[in-house]
Amino acid sequence: MSRLVVISNRVAVPKARGVAGAQGGLAGALNAALKDRGGLWFGWSGQESEDRTGNMNLQRNDGVTTATIDLSHRDIDEYYNGYANSTLWPLFHYRIDLTEYENETGRGYERVNERFAESVMPLIEEDDVVWVHDYHLIPLGERLRARGAKNRIGFFLHIPWPPTRLLTSLPFHERLVKTMLDYDLIGFQTQEWLSSFVHYCENELGASVDHETGRIDHEGRTVLARAYPIGIDWEHFQGLGAGEDAKAAEERLLASTRNRTGMIGVDRLDYSKGLPERIDGIGRFYDQHPERTRDLIFIQIAPPSREDVESYQHIREVLEQKTGQINGARSEVDIVPIRYVNRGYSHAELFGFFRAAKIGLVTPLRDGMNLVAKEYVAAQDPEDPGVLILSEFAGAAHQLGANGEGALLVNPHSPDLLARAIAQALDMPLAERKSRYEAMIGTVRDDNVRWWTTEFCTDLAEG
């Protein structure tokens, strides 16, 4: 079996910036694949250096080798905060109004991708299979090819791929997409994102596409593009749920809600998650049903992210303002209808919170997949499951809300529709809750992250 080399912006090593819950989820699956096949995980350490040192930190933990480099302040500002998170992230989430087009950050993005290629290339052996992850590193495959890499190289995009008319607003969009055709396999979360990519290749590049196989031919290169919906680490998450931390968190939430129905949302503090729109919908519910303020309490857990980016500072201010207005109007001495928590919790604690909450509210404006929706379902008691309210614009909606079964799908832009879904979930009888749970649990359990990893790696290795 060929060795596996994983390359991503961040790496699950101790003290790596922004790598929370590294034991489970994607990090756990990739670590498992690396243990099975041997190999290494390369990326940014999350640390800032005064200048480009060229130093690499090699570690071996639990049978997995990691290799990380530091980035300079300029690199972080231009590549990470700039082009990746102020240009590609908003554009790929359909927020062209927030997308910044700066030549300097674009050059920084290309410079750091070149540095990644330069740093990792000496570590790649002839027979290695290379797997590159996400929007930070779109051109990396092309840079590795330019340095002589003949390996099988795959790329997986964890966020949406925008429609062609949106993508063409990006300066030098053609150059960026052409670099992707140097991969051997490109994976997307859903068929929708895959179709958008194929549409661009056909209509903007003039590529030849076989829609049945996903084969794309362009200028002498052939690449396969396919959909691989990512899942949760089922076994790991269930194991956490059986532990004391999860049970204590469940009891803590149940005790604090005092016989009221708990509704929960867990999201990074990000404008793509639709948090202000969610609060508007909850406010509309309380406006329409003021007598139910004593029946329902909403807990929003929103850890901060990318605090150096101005648009993220703004979303926090808006969310705090809207939450404060509803609480000011609806609170009593013994009731606060919305609890807004601006911090993170462990996966074990989240399992307990999910199990205690009888409604899960997952309403992004646009999401690649959204694993919180799947984690909420996985944490439910099969004999008394909660109700998942899910945005129709989340990638998970394709799996969890098909044919009107499973999740209650909503348009997160409509406060009235969201308020109606909350009322429906609050009054849903046990038989229907169990039926909807049964429609979702199979795909959550079986189409898990380890299945996803195996499917992608097998297709990449076999070609």
Side-chain angles (χ1 to χ4, degrees):
M1 183 182 295
S2 300
R3 207 175 65 137
L4 178 64
V5 175
V6 172
I7 308 175
S8 60
N9 174 59
R10 290 173 287 188
V11 179
V13 295
K15 298 182 182 180
R17 180 165 150 188
V19 185
Q23 311 94 306
L26 175 63
L30 292 176
N31 269 304
L34 287 164
K35 287 179 189 177
D36 291 342
R37 305 173 63 117
L40 66 94
W41 192 344
F42 173 87
W44 174 35
S45 65
Q47 303 300 312
E48 179 180 321
S49 59
E50 292 187 8
D51 50 32
R52 178 175 175 176
T53 64
N55 294 335
M56 184 181 298
N57 180 19
L58 287 166
Q59 296 185 31
R60 188 164 181 83
N61 297 302
D62 197 21
V64 175
T65 300
T66 59
T68 58
I69 57 173
D70 297 342
L71 295 179
S72 69
H73 176 79
R74 180 187 175 195
D75 285 341
I76 296 169
D77 187 53
E78 294 177 359
Y79 150 78
Y80 183 71
N81 291 329
Y83 198 79
N85 289 318
S86 297
T87 302
L88 294 182
W89 177 272
L91 179 62
F92 281 36
H93 286 87
Y94 296 45
R95 291 301 304 270
I96 193 170
D97 58 312
L98 297 177
T99 304
E100 299 176 6
Y101 303 113
E102 300 289 344
N103 287 341
E104 197 61 35
T105 61
R107 284 192 286 267
Y109 179 79
E110 294 186 3
R111 182 180 67 249
V112 172
N113 269 268
E114 180 64 33
R115 183 172 175 209
F116 266 52
E118 176 188 359
S119 300
V120 75
M121 191 64 190
L123 306 178
I124 298 175
E125 299 174 3
E126 183 178 351
D127 294 330
D128 287 347
V129 172
V130 181
W131 191 0
V132 179
H133 287 266
D134 226 1
Y135 62 103
H136 313 84
L137 303 174
I138 288 174
L140 184 59
E142 185 265 345
R143 302 304 161 89
L144 292 173
R145 298 290 186 210
R147 290 178 173 273
K150 306 295 185 186
N151 308 68
R152 299 284 301 173
I153 308 178
F155 175 80
F156 189 84
L157 184 68
H158 292 263
I159 65 174
W161 183 268
T164 298
R165 289 298 93 194
L166 278 182
L167 185 60
T168 53
S169 70
L170 179 70
F172 309 109
H173 56 87
E174 190 173 271
R175 182 169 77 187
L176 183 70
V177 178
K178 279 185 175 180
T179 66
M180 295 179 70
L181 302 183
D182 275 299
Y183 292 106
D184 296 294
L185 177 64
I186 304 173
F188 297 90
Q189 296 275 22
T190 70
Q191 189 65 41
E192 180 180 353
W193 315 140
L194 170 61
S195 297
S196 294
F197 176 76
V198 167
H199 182 272
Y200 179 95
C201 291
E202 278 189 308
N203 292 276
E204 297 297 322
L205 300 182
S208 174
V209 176
D210 184 328
H211 291 270
E212 289 189 9
T213 65
R215 173 175 169 146
I216 301 172
D217 293 294
H218 181 66
E219 295 182 349
R221 280 285 304 165
T222 296
V223 59
L224 291 178
R226 293 174 179 167
Y228 300 88
I230 196 171
I232 66 170
D233 191 337
W234 172 266
E235 292 183 3
H236 176 77
F237 196 56
Q238 293 300 314
L240 292 176
E244 291 303 317
D245 288 348
K247 294 175 182 176
E250 180 184 2
E251 293 170 0
R252 178 182 174 191
L253 189 59
L254 287 172
S256 72
T257 54
R258 292 178 296 178
N259 298 318
R260 286 171 284 171
T261 297
M263 180 169 67
I264 194 169
V266 178
D267 311 81
R268 279 190 308 104
L269 194 57
D270 185 286
Y271 49 78
S272 69
K273 303 302 181 182
L275 299 182
E277 292 82 1
R278 182 181 305 171
I279 298 301
D280 288 343
I282 295 168
R284 187 65 54 86
F285 171 81
Y286 286 128
D287 290 343
Q288 294 173 351
H289 307 279
E291 76 285 357
R292 308 206 72 170
T293 303
R294 289 189 173 273
D295 297 336
L296 179 70
I297 183 168
F298 176 59
I299 303 100
Q300 176 62 60
I301 297 173
S305 68
R306 301 169 190 159
E307 295 179 273
D308 295 336
V309 180
E310 184 177 351
S311 57
Y312 290 83
Q313 298 167 2
H314 176 69
I315 196 75
R316 180 171 181 170
E317 294 170 1
V318 170
L319 190 59
E320 290 172 351
Q321 179 187 35
K322 287 179 177 290
T323 301
Q325 289 172 339
I326 293 174
N327 282 339
R330 298 291 176 190
S331 292
E332 301 284 351
V333 292
D334 60 341
I335 293 174
V336 178
I338 298 179
R339 297 177 187 171
Y340 169 57
V341 185
N342 194 226
R343 55 154 290 189
Y345 290 89
S346 71
H347 259 85
E349 290 172 302
L350 289 178
F351 187 105
F353 295 153
F354 289 147
R355 196 173 183 90
K358 287 306 173 187
I359 303 174
L361 203 49
V362 183
T363 55
L365 303 182
R366 191 71 55 175
D367 232 342
M369 177 51 63
N370 197 295
L371 295 182
V372 168
K374 296 185 176 184
E375 289 175 343
Y376 177 79
V377 174
Q380 295 310 297
D381 177 357
E383 298 305 315
D384 186 22
V387 181
L388 174 64
I389 299 175
L390 179 62
S391 166
E392 62 188 61
F393 304 121
H398 296 272
Q399 292 179 295
L400 302 183
N403 303 318
E405 301 175 349
L408 296 178
L409 296 187
V410 296
N411 179 343
H413 297 279
S414 170
D416 285 316
L417 293 177
L418 187 51
R420 185 187 305 170
I422 292 171
Q424 182 181 351
L426 197 57
D427 296 331
M428 188 176 293
L430 176 61
E432 183 179 351
R433 285 191 277 125
K434 293 174 79 169
S435 174
R436 288 181 176 274
Y437 168 80
E438 290 296 335
M440 296 184 286
I441 194 63
T443 187
V444 172
R445 180 188 60 241
D446 299 336
D447 298 340
N448 57 62
V449 73
R450 295 179 189 275
W451 169 87
W452 171 83
T453 304
T454 300
E455 287 290 298
F456 189 94
C457 288
T458 298
D459 287 353
L460 176 58
E462 295 178 352

